[in-house]
Amino acid sequence: MGLTAETNRIVREFDYSDDQLNQGVSEFLAQMELGLEKDGTSLSQIPTYVTGVPNGTEKGLYLAVDLGGTNFRVCSIQLNGDTTFNLTYSKVAIPRELMTAKTAKELFSFLAKQIEVFLRTHHNEHFEHRMRRRFTFSNPEGFQDEEIFRLGFTFSFPVQQIGINKGILMRWTKGFDIPDAVGKDVCELLQTEIDRLGLPVKVAALVNDTVGTLMARSYTSPGKQGAVLGAIFGTGTNGAYIEKLANIKKNVPGSFDKSTGDMVINTEWGSFDNQLNVLPRTPWDHKLDEDSNNRGFQMFEKRVSGMFLGEILRLTIVDLLKQENIQLFRDANSSHNDWVSTTTVAPESGLFKQWGVDTAIMSVAAADNTPSLGTLRQALEDQLLVYSPSLEDAQAFKAIAEAIGRRAARLSAIAVAAIVLKTGKLNDPSWDGEPVDVGVDGSLVEHYPYFRDMMYEAFKTIEGIGEEGANKIQIGIAKDGSGVGAALIALVATAMEKNQPTPEVLSKQRSSIFSVGRIRWELSRVSWWQWAGVGLLTAFVASRRRDYLFGLWRRYVA
Ligand code: ADP
Ligand code: MG
């Protein structure tokens, strides 16, 4: 069989039909119900505790860190107290060996070190001053309270949250595997390492990225209604949505006010259909799972998110390369190659290593629609050390990459569609013709060409949505909403610690908020309070006083 025929065969294996989509949505809805009934199901459906209030501490420097899976982000927000703030941001890739370190200490000491580097780089004067003060004041912690940087910790792994800055790690995902950390409070793990370095930093709040995204989007979306769902399509995939308390059948420990009738649920949908009732199973999906460190888990995520798509692609390419009679990356004579050269794959190419193909190259493949595929071929050289790939090579690579990307987008549509259907908002007269708003974040949805368009295409074929319903769904990027949200939660948490009075700050006004400068976001008067609102609501998720917050939200926003 020639390269083209074999490529077409592989592409067809990644087809996911309209019928399959509809079965997927039914199954997702059923698994959501199950997760609301009891623990230990595929979809964990974790109740989140949200409290907190902005309280006049609108001056000061707050920190936020975000452990997403691929990168560790550190940012600070200087609240100027005059309606502006400055945001400073840095990002480092997490070394792969730390993801499977022997002890939690190895990872968390690395994170603490990054916080120190960030403070020294961007806030050195402030930092040195605080460190100096540390030795001049002699309280038990070594710092005056006001000398401490408050930090919001966005931690995007399954956590049982038990307080605003307390959460027990349930299990690792996205290639992390540090058994030592499971069952421990991740805030404490980070705080211990921060203290070991003697940094003047307190972990003040813990937040899941999906919840941060939901809250951020609620305030930034253009309509009158808040978002119904916050979703991540980055290294991993997950979503958080607003559920009716009456639908949560399993026990929600702790006392909480039930007056709003709602609670935000963190679905942990990366584990949707671990039993493979409806998810596709190509040989390459199977191989990826077999070789992973959490076999049988996160089966949805393993077909959808950034960490895994490149690996699925790699496995298909490796299969093609094994077939002697298939002409992939091996034109024998320079006349066979329109670059008049012959193709060589370096032995150290990522194609021959597990996780060696970054999903980002799939975006390059999908975006390059030129006749000669010059950009993709250059990327194959630069990133995968395939020298002088022929046009036919690049065409095959592109076709398979697009098939995998398209399947991922259609599977993503299952989760979003099911939740939109569950909210009943598409046909809710009280929704008043407003779009049903969904906030998304993550490199995949942000950068993969037409990812959202392919989701919409899928929505149209889903029963109960159709063309009309699809037009009502509005998916908007809430870029780094989680990071910014976390810093503001730190602010809110600090105010709660100090038991300050609660100003009523939530505004009815929304606007499409912020224009992103590289490091400095100037916000208008209204925007600043909107951000405070984001923090407020996110904090609401993170602790036990959610009742007050949801009350305010309902009254002034919803
Ligand atoms: P995190 O999950 O750590 O918050 P991101 O949202 O940036 O981080 O997602 C990182 C993941 O997205 C990685 O798996 C990476 O391979 C993938 N990715 C990065 N850039 C792109 C791109 N341009 N197109 C598709 N996927 C990308
Ligand atoms: Mg992220």
Side-chain angles (χ1 to χ4, degrees), residues 158-470:
V159 157
Q160 190 74 50
Q161 189 144 2
I162 50 177
I164 191 154
N165 63 350
K166 225 176 175 27
I168 307 296
L169 177 63
M170 296 163 67
R171 61 177 181 274
W172 287 109
T173 56
K174 297 181 273 196
F176 281 66
D177 185 19
I178 312 170
D180 176 42
V182 175
K184 296 206 174 118
D185 173 8
V186 293
C187 289
E188 198 184 315
L189 288 173
L190 182 58
Q191 188 69 59
T192 303
E193 295 309 319
I194 286 171
D195 292 347
R196 215 185 289 277
L197 294 179
L199 306 179
V201 173
K202 174 174 178 185
V203 182
L206 178 66
V207 61
N208 185 276
D209 56 353
T210 55
V211 180
T213 302
L214 170 63
M215 296 308 168
R217 179 67 191 175
S218 286
Y219 279 84
T220 57
S221 68
K224 283 205 298 277
Q225 307 283 1
V228 298
L229 166 64
I232 302 289
F233 300 97
T235 310
T237 182
N238 187 17
Y241 74 106
I242 300 167
E243 182 57 280
K244 300 228 175 324
L245 268 180
N247 293 340
I248 308 175
K249 301 285 179 347
K250 65 184 173 189
N251 180 37
V252 182
S255 64
F256 52 91
D257 173 55
K258 301 176 173 72
S259 64
T260 66
D262 288 331
M263 184 180 273
V264 173
I265 294 285
N266 168 14
T267 63
E268 288 298 336
W269 75 36
S271 263
F272 165 57
D273 199 25
N274 281 345
Q275 49 280 74
L276 300 185
N277 290 337
V278 294
L279 289 177
R281 1 171 170 193
T282 69
W284 308 288
D285 294 311
H286 182 72
K287 173 100 173 94
L288 180 146
D289 184 48
E290 282 291 299
D291 296 347
S292 72
N293 58 17
N294 57 349
R295 235 181 276 172
F297 289 92
Q298 301 295 108
M299 297 305 252
F300 184 69
E301 186 164 84
K302 283 174 177 163
R303 286 151 176 79
V304 166
S305 73
M307 169 158 183
F308 302 102
L309 298 186
E311 179 66 5
I312 300 176
L313 173 62
R314 189 188 74 84
L315 292 170
T316 64
I317 298 294
V318 166
D319 260 7
L320 281 173
L321 290 175
K322 275 192 204 138
Q323 300 179 46
E324 293 276 314
N325 54 339
I326 300 282
Q327 289 294 306
L328 180 70
F329 301 148
R330 60 168 123 227
D331 40 7
N333 184 298
S334 64
S335 67
H336 299 161
N337 186 320
D338 67 338
W339 280 1
V340 201
S341 180
T342 55
T343 314
T344 324
V345 187
E348 64 274 23
S349 163
L351 285 169
F352 305 122
K353 288 185 217 100
Q354 191 188 20
W355 313 119
V357 174
D358 192 312
T359 301
I361 201 171
M362 294 173 58
S363 289
V364 177
D368 188 352
N369 289 312
T370 59
S372 66
L373 299 181
T375 312
L376 172 58
R377 288 160 78 182
Q378 191 62 50
L380 284 167
E381 276 205 8
D382 296 345
Q383 295 175 36
L384 296 179
L385 312 183
V386 178
Y387 297 106
S388 307
S390 70
L391 176 61
E392 292 76 16
D393 292 337
Q395 282 167 336
F397 188 91
K398 177 175 162 76
I400 298 171
E402 285 181 340
I404 295 168
R406 181 175 147 84
R407 190 187 71 167
R410 288 169 74 78
L411 291 171
S412 305
I414 290 179
V416 174
I419 288 176
V420 166
L421 284 170
K422 186 148 195 327
T423 64
K425 300 296 184 204
L426 285 175
N427 302 311
D428 183 347
S430 74
W431 208 249
D432 207 17
E434 283 281 316
V436 179
D437 198 86
V438 175
V440 293
D441 188 16
S443 288
L444 183 67
V445 65
E446 206 183 327
H447 300 302
Y448 189 92
Y450 306 113
F451 198 84
R452 274 183 286 172
D453 302 72
M454 291 188 288
M455 287 172 77
Y456 277 106
E457 188 197 312
F459 291 154
K460 288 180 191 166
T461 70
I462 288 169
E463 225 171 288
I465 298 185
E467 180 124 18
E468 201 187 328

